[in-house]
Amino acid sequence: MPAELGVWLFVLGDMVLFAILFLAYAHDYAADPGLFRRGQAQLSQFFGVTNTLLLLIGSFAVALAVNEARGRGRKRIEYLLYVAIGTGLLFLANKAIEYTHEISVGNTMMSDQFFMYYYTLTMVHLMHVSVGIGVLVFLVVTLRAKGAAGRFSNKLESGGLIWHMVDLLWIALFPLLYLIRI
Amino acid sequence: MTINTNYMKLCAACGPILTVLWLAGFVTTGFIPALDPMWSAEQVAQFYTQNITSIRVGIVVMLLALAFYAPFYSAITIQMFRMKNPSPVMIAWFVIASAAFMCYLFYCYEIWAVATYRPENAAAVQMFNDLVWISYLWPVTFAPATYIPLALSILIDDRNAEVFPRWYAFYNLWSVLLALTGTFVIFFKSGPFAMNGIFAYWVNLVVFFIWYPITSVVLIRSVNRSSQVLARTPQKTVTA
């Protein structure tokens, strides 16, 4: 099995949390679809699509890095990790612009139930992106200090797994908040 | 030497004791879940008046449970010292955070006790009730300050005979994330993130509570292993 068991448990445990969050959202959506639809109509899909693309590129870079680790291409692994870190930082920046935009038109966490979910879900996810960037930075530091030999590829797989989870959660969040309307 | 490991076992056994006492006390108070934040001051005061004895008894039992935290955290700290390469700063971090956390819990019970003291003053009861529950649920994020150094110490301890299993490190990191669901409690009076909601109350408190039985099992196993090691080594090593 790639990565280590503990990381898989962590990832599954974290996805349980998000599953509960998504269920709560779906439950409240069903209770008042009109309100949620109005809220969704106010979100800008541009930000959502951009962030989706950013995370997909980041995940692709991490996947390439994991593949590269098998061939021991140290420099390329490092560059690919920089690409992934870059997409993560751009994601944060894009989110900050989006929040500023929403707040400036008067949509805050206390506006209504839809925006409560919008802010809490995206903030919890945002925290995951930050932690994921931290993990990627740790991988770069380890790579620079000790090279790609030894247990590095295992660490890279674990870090990659966490990064893919961050991506996967967004792939679920994006349609839930921006696209699916019932 | 045998005496030393016995003390260690005694401290580790405080884990199950505090778990049972805390749960018993908490259930006795009857705040399952916390009172609806939409309630009026009169409704809150009425709840306190009607259940005053059980609330007081529950708080006292939880206060007793608090007495078992210090030996329990001490046992964890000493096990951390057994790791091969824990940075001393991680141990200091854990000690400071867990000590602060115990004081913090004491403060929560104290406010709760004050809320029950003069239930005839409805506005004051409501305010103290808010203070208890915002303190209790919101900085349960205080607890992650103890999970993080513990997790990091385990992850950097790379020798084969592990003191704590590696999954326990990831479990701690997971608890950090889940505990953060209480963060939004100050924004809402209804819904899943309000103080009686599924995230702020249920997810948050269950994760917080479950940490004690799981840590107790991990700790007792680790202590048993270390006393076996001690029994086999010559007398000079008095570490545990």
Side-chain angles (χ1 to χ4, degrees):
Chain A
M1 183 168 58
E4 62 173 288
L5 184 65
V7 179
W8 283 99
L9 286 177
F10 173 80
V11 165
L12 289 176
D14 206 28
M15 283 163 67
V16 169
L17 165 70
F18 272 88
I20 305 172
L21 281 165
F22 295 159
L23 282 175
Y25 173 82
H27 175 264
D28 285 343
Y29 196 126
D32 193 353
L35 181 136
F36 278 76
R37 246 181 270 134
R38 275 197 304 282
Q40 284 179 311
Q42 292 182 55
L43 291 184
S44 161
Q45 294 197 358
F46 168 77
F47 293 111
V49 172
T50 314
N51 272 345
T52 308
L53 288 175
L54 281 172
L55 287 189
L56 286 175
I57 294 169
S59 257
F60 186 58
V62 168
L64 286 179
V66 170
N67 196 34
E68 206 60 48
R70 294 186 180 128
R72 301 273 159 80
R74 186 187 167 285
K75 263 281 164 259
R76 287 199 57 189
I77 302 173
E78 199 178 325
Y79 289 138
L80 288 166
L81 288 175
Y82 283 138
V83 170
I85 293 170
T87 58
L89 293 175
L90 285 173
F91 182 97
L92 296 184
N94 194 26
K95 208 78 216 162
I97 299 169
E98 185 181 358
Y99 280 156
T100 315
H101 167 76
E102 290 303 332
I103 292 169
S104 69
V105 297
N107 293 322
T108 69
M109 198 188 264
M110 271 77 73
S111 295
D112 59 39
Q113 223 179 9
F114 173 75
F115 279 99
M116 177 200 79
Y117 275 111
Y118 165 76
Y119 282 105
T120 46
L121 285 171
T122 52
M123 275 181 190
V124 174
H125 179 260
L126 208 57
M127 209 189 64
H128 282 71
V129 176
S130 313
V131 171
I133 292 173
V135 170
L136 294 178
V137 170
F138 165 78
L139 287 173
V140 171
V141 172
T142 316
L143 181 64
R144 290 182 69 103
K146 295 180 188 163
R151 288 169 56 189
F152 180 76
S153 73
N154 192 259
K155 284 180 182 152
L156 180 61
E157 282 167 359
S158 297
L161 185 61
I162 288 172
W163 190 253
H164 290 320
M165 177 194 70
V166 169
D167 186 11
L168 177 68
L169 291 172
W170 178 257
I171 299 296
L173 258 182
F174 170 59
L176 266 183
L177 290 174
Y178 294 78
L179 303 177
I180 301 171
R181 297 180 193 179
I182 50 166
Chain B
M1 195 164 61
T2 18
I3 295 168
N4 268 330
T5 51
N6 282 344
Y7 279 124
M8 187 71 191
K9 284 178 180 167
L10 199 64
C11 287
C14 290
I17 297 172
L18 77 88
T19 304
V20 171
L21 277 179
W22 186 86
L23 186 66
F26 192 81
V27 171
T28 310
T29 62
F31 284 76
I32 302 173
L35 302 185
D36 189 339
M38 299 292 270
W39 276 12
S40 69
E42 283 68 32
Q43 281 172 298
V44 174
Q46 200 185 8
F47 181 88
Y48 270 81
T49 315
Q50 281 169 356
N51 304 291
I52 196 124
T53 310
S54 58
I55 297 173
R56 283 171 178 163
V57 170
I59 298 169
V60 170
V61 174
M62 287 195 291
L63 195 62
L64 284 177
L66 200 51
F68 293 89
Y69 279 60
F72 178 63
Y73 281 129
S74 304
I76 300 173
T77 310
I78 298 305
Q79 292 300 308
M80 286 170 81
F81 272 113
R82 283 183 52 231
M83 293 172 183
K84 188 181 160 200
N85 54 353
S87 168
V89 78
M90 294 295 171
I91 299 175
W93 178 357
F94 180 79
V95 170
I96 290 175
S98 52
F101 183 58
M102 286 187 315
C103 299
Y104 192 82
L105 278 181
F106 175 77
Y107 151 87
C108 289
Y109 301 146
E110 194 181 16
I111 309 165
W112 211 348
V114 173
T116 66
Y117 196 60
R118 295 184 205 278
E120 62 276 9
N121 184 346
V125 173
Q126 187 186 37
M127 190 186 286
F128 279 113
N129 181 66
D130 287 346
L131 189 49
V132 171
W133 285 97
I134 288 175
S135 304
Y136 214 61
L137 299 177
W138 188 44
V140 161
T141 50
F142 221 95
T146 64
Y147 304 154
I148 295 170
L150 193 50
L152 290 180
S153 303
I154 297 168
L155 290 179
I156 56 179
D157 180 28
D158 53 9
R159 71 170 162 188
N160 292 329
E162 56 192 15
V163 176
F164 292 133
R166 280 178 72 86
W167 65 260
Y168 180 68
F170 290 104
Y171 164 73
N172 269 280
L173 294 176
W174 180 63
S175 301
V176 173
L177 288 173
L178 290 197
L180 295 177
T181 52
T183 315
F184 303 106
V185 72
I186 53 171
F187 290 93
F188 304 111
K189 291 198 179 66
S190 66
F193 294 99
M195 58 175 80
N196 61 345
I198 176 158
F199 293 110
Y201 183 90
W202 291 105
V203 172
N204 199 4
L205 274 189
V206 168
V207 166
F208 169 64
F209 174 75
I210 293 289
W211 189 83
Y212 289 94
I214 290 184
T215 303
S216 302
V217 171
V218 168
L219 178 63
I220 289 169
R221 278 183 173 171
S222 168
V223 169
N224 286 341
R225 260 200 313 273
S226 71
S227 54
Q228 283 164 9
V229 173
L230 279 182
R232 271 189 266 112
T233 44
Q235 288 190 346
K236 55 179 181 172
T237 43
V238 184
T239 47

